[in-house]
Amino acid sequence: MEPLTSRAQVVEKKKMNLWERMYLPAIVGGMAITLKHLFKKKVTVKYPEQKREFSKVWRGQHVLKRDDNGAERCTACGLCALACPAEAITMDAAERKPSEKNLYREEKYAARYEIDMLRCIFCGLCEDACPKEAIFLRDDKIVMSEFGRKPFVYGKDILVEPMDPTKRIDISARQKKTF
Amino acid sequence: MLGGYHTEYSSMKLGFYLFSEYINMFVASAVMATLYFGGYHLPFISGLNLPHNLIAMIGVAALFIKIFLFMFFFMWVRWTIPRFRYDQLMNLGWKILIPLSILNLLITGLVILLVK
Ligand code: SF4
Ligand code: SF4
């Protein structure tokens, strides 16, 4: 059979001689290796205290963006739910009342918008599907663990970003798609 | 592949189990240090004419350093070969290490005989 990689090696089973059967040289060699590793730089990090930097293409928890005036961008078109391969997104649409113009950008908005984080595979297709640039996957937030399944269904209270302009969530890196 | 007690016990019971194992390790190290590595003795310490109390203190430190060196050795072996297959371990012990120690005995006796 053709080897799949250049690193393929033919191993043969041969009888060990006395020196090899003693194991002692091999054990001493192994102990030298462990001792060497004792003085090497650790490859692990102490996780909750120390965190690794996220990759630039990291896809974390979703955010529903507001526009510059603080109105929600999402128009409940349902394209994200359609694009979602895991069928994680559910929503109910509602019509905007004239008095709610400052809350919702389009005439139709999502009265309920839920993402089941247990179903979600963080593929980012919802982000690609959205015509209103309303949903993004943050590059700085992990979906945290919970004690049950219910709390994993994130509603608008968690997903929509705060109205306060100083607390807006920066997704410019993902918007640029420079990667 | 697992040692039985790793799966059978958890929390404090496993803690006690491992604790007793480590006590065992400590005692074995202490016995080894005392019997074969001179206990509280340090070479050349008696030639320095130090006060007795200081010598006693250094002796205690020396004993504990020896004990901890042995414990480190135990753990070091454990890090290296977490699970030695048992038949191989038996082979190693009976067929390799015991003949080696007997050889050591013979050679030591021979050397002492020749030197005297
Ligand atoms: S990231 Fe993928 S799986 Fe998760 S909600 Fe968006 S489309 Fe669905
Ligand atoms: S997030 Fe975007 S794709 Fe999804 S319903 Fe809102 S506007 Fe449509």
Side-chain angles (χ1 to χ4, degrees):
Chain A
M1 214 176 78
E2 277 283 294
L4 292 173
T5 66
S6 56
R7 279 171 298 174
Q9 255 183 1
V10 179
V11 275
E12 55 185 306
K13 189 177 176 191
K14 60 176 191 324
K15 251 194 142 21
M16 291 191 285
N17 58 32
L18 179 72
W19 183 246
E20 286 167 334
R21 241 182 308 136
M22 268 172 58
Y23 292 127
L24 289 182
I27 290 174
V28 171
M31 287 171 66
I33 290 175
T34 34
L35 197 65
K36 238 190 320 183
H37 277 274
L38 198 61
F39 297 108
K40 266 194 192 153
K41 203 173 157 286
K42 304 277 176 292
V43 291
T44 48
V45 295
K46 294 179 174 151
Y47 165 61
E49 291 90 31
Q50 246 178 324
K51 280 178 186 151
R52 281 221 173 88
E53 216 179 297
F54 286 141
S55 132
K56 277 209 188 77
V57 294
W58 162 263
R59 297 189 295 265
Q61 184 181 319
H62 309 63
V63 58
L64 282 172
K65 290 292 289 176
R66 295 175 184 276
D67 68 4
D68 295 338
N69 305 321
E72 285 174 25
R73 291 180 183 177
C74 175
T75 182
C77 65
L79 286 178
C80 50
L82 197 67
C84 178
E87 305 194 338
I89 306 179
T90 337
M91 74 191 69
D92 285 335
E95 198 179 328
R96 179 185 71 182
K97 299 198 179 67
S99 59
E100 291 172 334
K101 258 199 179 139
N102 57 334
L103 286 179
Y104 310 108
R105 192 171 63 178
E106 318 285 337
E107 279 139 29
K108 185 160 135 266
Y109 70 95
R112 183 173 72 101
Y113 189 104
E114 283 173 354
I115 301 181
D116 188 342
M117 292 301 175
L118 285 180
R119 297 200 68 125
C120 177
I121 56 175
F122 301 95
C123 59
L125 288 184
C126 43
E127 184 184 286
D128 287 342
C130 183
K132 297 289 178 189
E133 302 206 308
I135 190 159
F136 285 95
L137 271 66
R138 296 171 61 168
D139 54 10
D140 60 346
K141 194 158 192 298
I142 295 183
V143 173
M144 295 309 237
S145 54
E146 303 278 359
F147 285 107
R149 282 162 185 272
K150 270 275 159 56
F152 277 110
V153 181
Y154 283 14
K156 277 181 82 175
D157 50 331
I158 303 175
L159 294 173
V160 180
E161 70 174 340
M163 186 87 98
D164 187 348
T166 56
K167 288 189 193 138
R168 290 295 174 80
I169 288 145
D170 180 30
I171 41 83
S172 49
R174 289 199 65 75
Q175 229 165 353
K176 266 186 249 147
K177 300 253 172 180
T178 45
F179 33 81
Chain B
M1 284 308 286
L2 288 163
Y5 61 88
H6 276 138
T7 50
E8 298 288 337
Y9 290 96
S10 66
S11 70
M12 216 49 215
K13 285 175 188 160
L14 181 72
F16 280 134
Y17 205 111
L18 293 181
F19 188 56
S20 69
E21 271 200 350
Y22 279 98
I23 293 175
N24 184 0
M25 206 157 102
F26 181 83
V27 171
S29 307
V31 168
M32 274 201 279
T34 316
L35 291 186
Y36 304 115
F37 280 76
Y40 52 80
H41 278 297
L42 268 186
F44 313 121
I45 190 95
S46 49
L48 292 179
N49 279 330
L50 294 171
H52 290 300
N53 287 340
L54 190 63
I55 289 186
M57 260 146 50
I58 292 175
V60 170
L63 178 63
F64 271 90
I65 287 171
K66 283 172 189 173
I67 291 173
F68 281 116
L69 281 181
F70 274 112
M71 285 180 53
F72 176 78
F73 187 75
F74 271 89
M75 292 184 179
W76 185 15
V77 171
R78 228 188 226 184
W79 298 329
T80 313
I81 28 179
R83 291 244 178 271
F84 213 130
R85 218 174 72 203
Y86 231 84
D87 57 329
Q88 291 175 333
L89 186 64
M90 287 291 141
N91 271 342
L92 180 68
W94 288 107
K95 295 191 187 159
I96 309 288
L97 291 181
I98 287 190
L100 271 182
S101 64
I102 291 174
L103 204 67
N104 185 18
L105 210 68
L106 289 179
I107 290 173
T108 316
L110 202 68
V111 167
I112 289 177
L113 198 69
L114 289 182
V115 165
K116 283 211 168 153

